[in-house]
Amino acid sequence: MNIDRITLREIRMTLKHPFETSFGVTHARRVLLVEVESGGVSGWGEATVKTRPLYNEEFVDASWALLRDVLGPKLREEPVNAASELADRFAFIRGHRMTRAALETAVWDLEARLRGEPLWQHIGGSREIIDCGVSIGIQESVEKLLEKIKTELDAGYQRIKIKIKPGWDVDVVAKVRERFPDILLSVDANSAYRLSDAPLLKRLDDYNLLMIEQPLADDDIIDHAKLQAMLETRLCLDESIRSARHAEQAIEAGACRIINIKLGRVGGFSEAILVHNVARAHQVPVWCGGMLESGIGRAHNIAMSTLANFSLPGDVSASQRYWNRDIITPEVTVSASGTITPPSSPGLGFEVDRDYLESLVTRREVLE
């Protein structure tokens, strides 16, 4: 593939409802999109970075500069023989995996479109039905949380994940479990606790949780291994797993029994497939985490979730949960039984609503 043009766009999308985690409250997203063109065909990617470096070291303005000044020119230095080679081409960059993934996933989409294949099949996916769960942010009251859970269960979602932080944890989980004794329930701490909080986290063993996600530091494996040895509930690692090597080390150390794979966090499809394969070899289930993506990032998550070991419901939910209007057509929908069927058309399987997209653009740069 000869890359003719790379277009960077930043758009602003306002969430239907604020989303609160231990990091803070998100009302709107500055979304950075990458369009890669070859022979009149476009592939699309999304940088799942935040406005500030809260989740990891990346943020929108740094991501924009890196794509414009380093990665974009590097991509266009020579033709791309296969999307799978880009992980090595970009490996000279330390960190900034979400930024690398934005460009890498766009080329995967482009390659699949040029070959006339659905992206999910092109990457080796085999799951023709994706089970969906939801992630529910911290609410203003427990009553509000219970109402929101009921709404999502009525919509068919198969797994409920609630965010926790110190002061909003065991008592809240107890009330959720009292109201909904049989649902598939998990909690996500986003690194809000320390190993010294183990006695408190141990109390969560009483509530039959699917998992506790990333309770300790974002770069930790050792303390998670110590904590897992104290708990009956399975730990799931998110922020700590940025590569297949991290996954191998975490599993061998006993730091987790489940892994969340986020396409951006690990640097794109090539590394996500390697993480998936490591977990599968150790019989550790994986699932797809979300980053409040637009429809482009959401469509990439659908493709990734078709890999064989994505055996737990992920955070791949309907567009309408987050946006009054998404930037793709058709928008992502979830069935009454809480599933998504991967699309059959080439590439992502969704088209970008260009007119609506252009109305949201706050800056643009074209690399030719």
Side-chain angles (χ1 to χ4, degrees):
M1 290 176 283
N2 289 308
I3 304 303
D4 303 324
R5 183 182 297 106
I6 302 169
T7 303
L8 308 180
R9 293 178 179 85
E10 182 185 327
I11 64 174
R12 180 180 174 84
M13 297 182 72
T14 301
L15 288 160
K16 291 175 75 171
H17 309 286
F19 191 83
E20 182 176 351
T21 71
S22 59
F23 297 133
V25 184
T26 301
H27 296 275
R29 272 202 66 213
R30 294 171 61 191
V31 181
L32 202 170
L33 301 174
V34 178
E35 180 184 10
V36 177
E37 297 176 65
S38 177
V41 178
S42 291
W44 292 84
E46 176 176 340
T48 54
V49 295
K50 292 182 174 290
T51 301
R52 295 181 293 161
L54 300 177
Y55 177 84
N56 61 7
E57 78 282 357
E58 300 183 74
F59 59 101
V60 171
D61 291 326
S63 183
W64 182 279
L66 189 61
L67 284 164
R68 179 193 62 204
D69 300 336
V70 181
L71 292 173
K74 185 69 174 177
L75 177 64
R76 300 191 67 241
E77 279 183 359
E78 56 188 70
V80 178
N81 296 316
S84 58
E85 72 183 27
L86 294 184
D88 287 339
R89 190 182 295 194
F90 297 155
F92 71 99
I93 296 290
R94 296 275 183 99
H96 299 280
R97 292 176 182 270
M98 289 179 171
T99 307
R100 287 188 262 166
L103 200 50
E104 193 245 30
T105 56
V107 176
W108 276 99
D109 178 32
L110 173 63
E111 183 175 79
R113 289 176 190 265
L114 290 171
R115 295 187 181 187
E117 298 176 346
L119 177 60
W120 66 275
Q121 293 179 349
H122 184 54
I123 66 168
S126 60
R127 304 180 73 90
E128 298 184 355
I129 297 292
I130 297 169
D131 295 329
C132 301
V134 290
S135 178
I136 299 177
I138 294 166
Q139 303 296 306
E140 61 189 31
S141 68
V142 174
E143 291 70 26
K144 199 76 174 176
L145 174 62
L146 297 175
E147 289 175 12
K148 202 157 187 68
I149 291 173
K150 174 127 185 355
T151 297
E152 305 300 359
L153 292 172
D154 288 346
Y157 287 102
Q158 299 183 22
R159 184 225 64 204
I160 300 293
K161 181 178 79 175
I162 63 173
K163 298 288 186 175
I164 61 171
K165 65 178 182 179
W168 180 272
D169 42 45
V170 177
D171 291 343
V172 174
V173 172
K175 291 175 181 176
V176 171
R177 188 50 93 192
E178 181 182 4
R179 175 72 187 279
F180 303 103
D182 300 320
I183 65 170
L184 196 60
L185 178 66
S186 63
V187 298
D188 182 7
N190 291 114
S191 303
Y193 297 88
R194 300 180 179 180
L195 187 58
S196 58
D197 294 311
L200 181 147
L201 296 170
K202 174 67 177 170
R203 292 169 58 195
L204 292 172
D205 280 343
D206 294 336
Y207 300 103
N208 189 30
L209 298 178
L210 172 64
M211 61 188 163
I212 302 170
E213 185 178 353
Q214 196 72 37
L216 308 181
D218 67 291
D219 59 354
D220 173 75
I221 289 176
I222 294 174
D223 281 355
H224 277 106
K226 294 176 182 177
L227 178 62
Q228 180 65 90
M230 302 177 197
L231 303 180
E232 296 174 16
T233 306
R234 293 182 290 183
L235 292 186
C236 169
L237 289 185
D238 174 356
E239 290 95 326
S240 295
I241 307 298
R242 298 191 179 197
S243 67
R245 177 172 59 85
H246 291 155
E248 187 78 51
Q249 291 172 341
I251 293 168
E252 289 186 4
C256 63
R257 298 175 189 163
I258 298 173
I259 290 177
N260 166 342
I261 301 180
K262 287 178 177 164
L263 194 53
R265 191 192 71 234
V266 301
F269 279 113
S270 292
E271 194 67 25
I273 291 167
L274 293 177
V275 174
H276 166 274
N277 291 347
V278 165
R280 188 181 189 186
H282 290 277
Q283 298 183 319
V284 171
V286 302
W287 58 281
C288 176
M291 292 290 289
L292 302 178
E293 291 92 346
S294 78
I296 291 172
R298 198 169 300 274
H300 279 295
N301 286 345
I302 290 171
M304 182 177 69
S305 297
T306 66
L307 295 172
N309 196 38
F310 279 80
S311 55
L312 298 176
D315 290 340
V316 188
S317 48
S319 296
Q320 282 296 313
R321 281 201 72 237
Y322 298 102
W323 317 113
N324 285 313
R325 181 176 176 182
D326 209 341
I327 60 172
I328 58 169
T329 58
E331 295 191 355
V332 176
T333 58
V334 174
S335 73
S337 58
T339 62
I340 292 174
T341 301
S344 58
S345 48
L348 287 176
F350 300 84
E351 294 304 320
V352 175
D353 185 343
R354 286 185 177 269
D355 289 340
Y356 181 57
L357 174 67
E358 291 302 324
S359 73
L360 303 177
V361 171
T362 58
R363 63 171 161 170
R364 175 201 331 267
E365 188 141 1
V366 180
L367 309 180
E368 294 193 84

